[in-house]
Amino acid sequence: MMSASTVLASYGNAARAARDSIVVGEVAPGEDVFAYVSRRTGGFDRTVYQQVIGAANDFKEGDRATGVGAADEATRTNARALLTNTKIGDLYEHPLFEDDLQRLIWQTTDQAQYAKVKDWTMGQLKDFLLTRSEIDIKGVMNGLTSDTIGCVPKLMSNEELIALGQKIFNVLPGTMIGSKGYMGARIQPNSPTDHPDDVVWQVFDAFSYATGDIVIGTNPVDSTVASVATVERALKDVVDTFQLGDVIPWCVLSHIDVQAEVAENYPATVATMFQSLAGTDDCNKIFDITNDKILKYARAKKGQRYGLYFETGQGSEFTNGVANGVDMMVLESRKYGFSRAVGLELAKVQPKGAWLHVNDVAGFIGPEVFKSREQLVRCCLEDIAMGKLHGLTIGLDICTTLHMAVSLEDLDWCQDQIMPANPVYLIALPTKNDPMLSYLTTSFQDHVRLRERFGFKVNDAMWDFYKRIGIVDENDRYSANYGDPLWVYYQYRLAKGDKRPRDAVYAEGREKMKQVEERGVDLATGHGENIWDLNSELAVKVRGLYDDAKQSLWAELTPEFIAGIPNVVPVRTLSSDRNDYIAHPDSGEKLNPEAIADIERIRDSWGGDLPKGQIVISDGLNAKAIMDDGHLAPYLEEMRRLLAEADVPMSDSNILVTGGRVRAGYRIGELLFEKADPNSLREVLHIIGERPGTMHHAYSVYITVASGKRWSEKDIDHDITKLVSNVADTALPPKEAARETLTIIREIVGKNVNGSRRYRT
């Protein structure tokens, strides 16, 4: 998953008070969910209804935190029995939660198909899906609402979910992507500094392993319009040079509004447009989107080849405190219902059919959603089934954060369990370790292994390209150029009309590769014992980064470091220790009573002369990122100098939070600025250690600028926050990050004053 909104969501707001498990007692013969709820409550009780539906899920930590997790297997069995007896029509008439998104799902559910199934029980639907053909299933599946589809996996085993995945195929128009026996890749060429060469060379690297066919999509560090445009142009150049414009699109995964501004200011630089989606209006508000906004962007794709690209993942609603009592799987299904509605809109305006695909980023948020490799497999199988039943072309990010108990070897095992369900595509990196987002996913060579093991094919048009540039021979075997990005670079230069000798181009390419790797971006070359193994040197390095990440997770701020911060005010959240912080993310979002008192003393010391802003520093998931030499101090010094020059008076204090997450900064700002002039702007700059897993030990700066009125309302959240990420002496230099921070502050202030698309529905 991943835009800034998704990264923000990963810091979570799991409601600890809602962890009581659900007990569902004995079920009467033929009793359905609604009869049981009525027997329990004397009528219809939506909360109990939500709990019974949630209790039918396989266990995941996130459902328990939401308050809908089954207490035991007996409860789970009873809840499934009730659901089996429940009619589709009754589920249609009783949504688990009603909002604008639910109403959109109703509006875009095929009523003729619904009429065929409304009197079926969920047990009958399950049998139909497992015994009938794809044609038969496609004759009714558009008549199923997302709530109904979200209940299907509750009644199925992993083996049954795989069988369903093997039946349904939703193909992107004009391609083989999504066809039976095909498994593609989104190349994810992320850079800690958004350096175009880092991005482009990872694309060359992917091509050298014949990997990549659905989209080239990079996650930006800097989501300003100018920076996004620079990376978009670099990707467009590769696609255009290789004459792949009708074969594969490119995308920079900034907020969709930013991409729209890039398209407006730099015509023809944007192909597919990306956005993260949630399953409730409340969570989509945090992502700064609405149904209407996304539908308008779909209509704006009129006459274009490429459409929209969405990312989803179980858990984003509960980690943001807006699950509204609904279990994670149904909320995930509602995201697919949103996607289906957008696809219908795209189909009206795209001449070759709707180009829309969805990437389920399972495992990206962390252990508060689920912890084990078995749960990761289950989540992926559930989501493939639900996505396909919505008619979507759906891929996976089979991934794990480095604070989950899923190892490098576990990921291989997970891939092998999931691939028989035939997801449309997977993410692809030079190694399993993302150099910018600091999480583990699938490598280029994982794709090679999976293609060999399961017989999967790459989209025909891209496979022809791999033959054309000599990575694959005429017999569909890998050539001697396999795993050699220098060869791909040479082909790129030839396509540009470069007449230099091959040795000269190779020498230039080696120097560029060296520079890329010095910036912390590993490039895979060659292979190990098997063609799907990393070369031995790179394999050792990846293992070292993994081990360092585990150490970084448990690092704590030292007394010497705390004492060295100028005008420091140390405070703590409700997290009692690192274990509590990692297991219960919401504990790191709330200040303890002593911290509240300390912050109120700062506020009271200002009297009527309030500064314009406050700097907050938190350990986050990587205290080393804050404590490493040359990281924090240069940023603080440059940031304060720049703000002073800009005549923005800041608080002299540096508030240092132990056990802090992003929302702790919002709560501090609300305490400090609740009595500020309602019409004046106040800011919090929150410096926080990022996910470990790269050589950089990087931190991010979360920039929140709001009016005094908004601070006083005490509802500040991620939707108004921007960030500068991957700040480190080996990534985005701290002084440069300070300059970027000031640029973003000016953009925010200007847009609040003048108005822009970014702040409109």
Side-chain angles (χ1 to χ4, degrees):
M1 186 187 210
M2 292 154 276
S3 68
S5 299
T6 312
V7 176
L8 285 162
S10 72
Y11 285 94
N13 182 36
R16 299 176 79 188
R19 287 199 185 99
D20 294 337
S21 298
I22 304 306
V23 175
V24 176
E26 289 293 321
V27 176
E31 190 172 32
D32 69 4
V33 169
F34 298 99
Y36 176 83
V37 171
S38 180
R39 178 162 63 86
R40 275 274 313 273
T41 67
F44 178 71
D45 184 299
R46 189 178 298 277
T47 298
V48 176
Y49 173 45
Q50 291 172 331
Q51 290 171 343
V52 174
I53 295 295
N57 283 351
D58 262 34
F59 173 74
K60 300 188 191 82
E61 279 74 12
D63 284 337
R64 182 176 61 187
T66 302
V68 296
D72 49 37
E73 283 302 316
T75 286
R76 189 166 288 110
T77 299
N78 290 337
R80 288 171 175 169
L82 293 170
L83 183 57
T84 298
N85 295 331
T86 300
K87 287 188 176 181
I88 291 172
D90 290 334
L91 292 173
Y92 184 102
E93 297 293 339
H94 297 84
L96 287 157
F97 179 72
E98 185 171 345
D99 58 4
D100 284 344
L101 177 54
Q102 175 59 45
R103 287 184 279 277
L104 176 65
I105 291 167
W106 271 326
Q107 291 164 12
T108 52
T109 299
D110 187 305
Q111 291 301 307
Q113 291 192 12
Y114 169 64
K116 298 178 184 178
V117 300
K118 65 180 181 179
D119 293 327
W120 295 3
T121 65
M122 288 299 296
Q124 289 173 308
L125 176 61
K126 172 188 171 179
D127 290 343
F128 179 87
L129 295 173
L130 293 175
T131 59
R132 302 295 284 271
S133 69
E134 179 184 28
I135 292 175
D136 291 341
I137 292 170
K138 286 191 172 182
V140 302
M141 70 185 194
N142 289 334
L144 304 175
T145 64
S146 298
D147 279 14
T148 300
I149 291 174
C151 288
V152 167
K154 300 173 191 285
L155 303 179
M156 290 188 175
S157 66
N158 283 10
E159 292 73 23
E160 288 170 331
L161 290 171
I162 289 169
L164 183 57
Q166 291 174 342
K167 276 190 177 186
I168 304 172
F169 298 92
N170 306 305
V171 183
L172 282 180
T175 77
M176 296 302 292
I177 298 171
S179 300
K180 184 178 181 65
Y182 283 76
M183 190 276 292
R186 169 201 155 186
I187 303 171
Q188 184 168 291
N190 291 344
S191 165
T193 58
D194 287 337
H195 197 295
D197 279 359
D198 295 354
V199 174
V200 166
W201 272 91
Q202 288 179 81
V203 177
F204 295 156
D205 203 7
F207 288 172
S208 77
Y209 291 98
T211 297
D213 59 358
I214 190 166
V215 66
I216 306 169
T218 183
N219 300 81
V221 176
D222 178 358
S223 287
T224 57
V225 169
S227 179
V228 170
T230 297
V231 180
E232 293 266 18
R233 283 195 295 262
L235 292 173
K236 173 178 166 57
D237 172 67
V238 173
V239 171
D240 287 350
T241 299
F242 281 128
Q243 299 180 5
L244 295 172
D246 287 331
V247 177
I248 186 169
W250 64 92
C251 185
V252 176
L253 282 68
S254 59
H255 190 280
I256 197 167
D257 289 343
V258 176
Q259 296 167 76
E261 288 190 48
V262 172
E264 183 178 324
N265 296 338
Y266 306 92
T269 60
V270 175
T272 286
M273 293 177 67
F274 158 85
Q275 182 55 46
S276 293
L277 298 184
T280 65
D281 291 349
D282 292 335
C283 196
N284 280 319
K285 179 184 176 183
I286 293 171
F287 289 177
D288 193 20
I289 60 170
T290 63
N291 302 341
D292 287 344
K293 176 184 282 190
I294 299 301
L295 290 170
K296 286 176 184 176
Y297 280 129
R299 289 190 285 272
K301 283 290 182 179
K302 183 176 181 179
Q304 298 182 29
R305 162 69 166 155
Y306 300 117
L308 298 177
Y309 163 32
F310 296 138
E311 286 193 351
T312 68
Q314 291 192 32
S316 58
E317 297 82 11
F318 110 80
T319 62
N320 280 284
V322 285
N324 297 304
V326 182
D327 66 90
M328 295 193 302
M329 188 156 58
V330 167
L331 289 173
E332 181 72 5
S333 185
R334 284 165 57 99
K335 298 166 199 173
Y336 302 152
F338 193 173
S339 303
R340 180 169 69 182
V342 176
L344 292 172
E345 200 68 24
L346 272 174
K348 299 174 185 176
V349 300
Q350 294 207 286
K352 296 183 179 180
W355 182 289
L356 180 143
H357 59 96
V358 176
N359 179 31
D360 167 37
V361 189
F364 183 73
I365 294 176
E368 63 269 33
V369 175
F370 55 78
K371 292 181 179 178
S372 71
R373 68 179 194 171
E374 290 79 12
Q375 288 174 309
L376 175 56
V377 168
R378 177 69 189 185
C379 180
C380 289
L381 294 177
E382 292 167 349
D383 295 352
I384 292 169
M386 293 189 296
K388 288 190 173 188
L389 282 172
H390 277 91
L392 300 175
T393 305
I394 184 166
L396 293 176
D397 194 347
I398 304 175
C399 64
T400 177
T401 63
L402 284 148
H403 57 305
M404 289 173 67
V406 179
S407 69
L408 292 163
E409 292 76 19
D410 287 338
L411 276 183
D412 288 349
W413 179 84
C414 290
Q415 293 165 11
D416 290 345
Q417 308 310 304
I418 294 164
M419 294 319 296
N422 209 158
V424 173
Y425 66 98
L426 303 179
I427 296 299
L429 307 174
T431 73
K432 279 184 169 68
N433 188 61
D434 189 291
M436 190 275 272
L437 289 170
S438 303
Y439 79 121
L440 301 177
T441 183
T442 39
S443 70
F444 300 152
Q445 284 165 279
D446 287 329
H447 281 257
V448 174
R449 183 180 74 84
L450 294 171
R451 294 195 299 252
E452 292 284 325
R453 173 164 185 179
F454 294 99
F456 287 129
K457 299 177 183 179
V458 173
N459 185 37
D460 292 355
M462 277 302 289
W463 194 251
D464 289 343
F465 164 69
Y466 294 134
K467 286 184 175 181
R468 172 157 58 90
I469 63 170
I471 299 300
V472 178
D473 66 23
E474 290 304 314
N475 296 314
D476 291 321
R477 297 188 181 94
Y478 299 115
S479 73
N481 303 311
Y482 168 87
D484 184 2
L486 280 171
W487 171 261
V488 179
Y489 179 62
Y490 178 55
Q491 298 303 306
Y492 167 80
R493 293 308 311 171
L494 289 176
K496 281 192 166 296
D498 195 331
K499 303 298 184 182
R500 289 178 295 168
R502 175 174 163 178
D503 288 349
V505 175
Y506 266 53
E508 178 181 79
R510 288 190 189 95
E511 181 59 29
K512 287 180 177 290
M513 288 179 67
K514 178 183 176 184
Q515 293 169 2
V516 168
E517 292 178 330
E518 285 174 348
R519 287 189 291 267
V521 177
D522 292 316
L523 296 173
T525 57
H527 58 81
E529 182 178 351
N530 301 300
I531 64 169
W532 51 80
D533 295 333
L534 293 176
N535 68 63
S536 57
E537 183 179 346
L538 187 54
V540 169
K541 182 177 182 180
V542 171
R543 172 60 62 182
L545 291 171
Y546 178 84
D547 293 340
D548 178 70
K550 295 301 183 182
Q551 295 171 18
S552 296
L553 275 169
W554 300 101
E556 298 185 2
L557 300 173
T558 65
E560 296 78 13
F561 172 76
I562 295 171
I565 298 176
N567 300 316
V568 67
V569 179
V571 299
R572 296 190 66 97
T573 63
L574 291 177
S575 292
S576 58
D577 55 26
R578 293 299 287 174
N579 275 311
D580 190 28
Y581 177 83
I582 291 170
H584 306 131
D586 60 303
S587 69
E589 299 178 337
K590 300 166 186 168
L591 303 168
N592 70 17
E594 294 82 4
I596 292 172
D598 287 340
I599 291 162
E600 288 175 339
R601 277 192 288 272
I602 293 174
R603 181 193 64 202
D604 294 343
S605 72
W606 295 338
D609 187 21
L610 271 67
K612 290 291 187 182
Q614 175 66 54
I615 291 177
V616 178
I617 306 157
S618 290
D619 47 6
L621 286 169
N622 188 358
K624 287 185 177 182
I626 304 297
M627 295 191 295
D628 279 3
D629 289 341
H631 279 201
L632 180 62
Y635 178 84
L636 287 179
E637 292 165 4
E638 183 70 1
M639 193 73 255
R640 287 189 175 278
R641 184 186 71 80
L642 291 171
L643 289 168
E645 286 183 355
D647 195 25
V648 181
M650 298 289 288
S651 165
D652 292 333
S653 301
N654 289 306
I655 298 175
L656 180 67
V657 185
T658 296
R661 291 180 182 263
V662 176
R663 284 194 174 97
Y666 304 156
R667 307 293 81 85
I668 290 170
E670 290 166 353
L671 286 168
L672 293 175
F673 301 129
E674 62 180 344
K675 297 179 181 178
D677 178 348
N679 299 314
S680 67
L681 296 175
R682 295 292 188 276
E683 68 190 46
V684 168
L685 303 182
H686 190 176
I687 303 161
I688 186 165
E690 289 190 320
R691 298 178 181 212
T694 72
M695 62 173 271
H696 304 292
H697 289 176
Y699 60 85
S700 284
V701 183
Y702 289 79
I703 305 160
T704 308
V705 181
S707 66
K709 179 178 183 297
R710 183 70 191 272
W711 287 113
S712 70
E713 291 169 350
K714 298 185 182 296
D715 65 348
I716 299 293
D717 214 334
H718 302 325
D719 58 314
I720 65 167
T721 294
K722 304 271 278 185
L723 74 157
V724 177
S725 58
N726 278 284
V727 185
D729 57 346
T730 53
L732 179 62
K735 288 189 175 183
E736 185 176 329
R739 292 191 288 273
E740 188 175 309
T741 302
L742 183 60
T743 298
I744 290 173
I745 292 170
R746 284 174 166 155
E747 287 184 355
I748 294 172
V749 170
K751 288 177 179 179
N752 270 283
V753 172
N754 300 320
S756 81
R757 180 191 295 107
R758 181 74 174 81
Y759 288 89
R760 294 201 301 267
T761 297

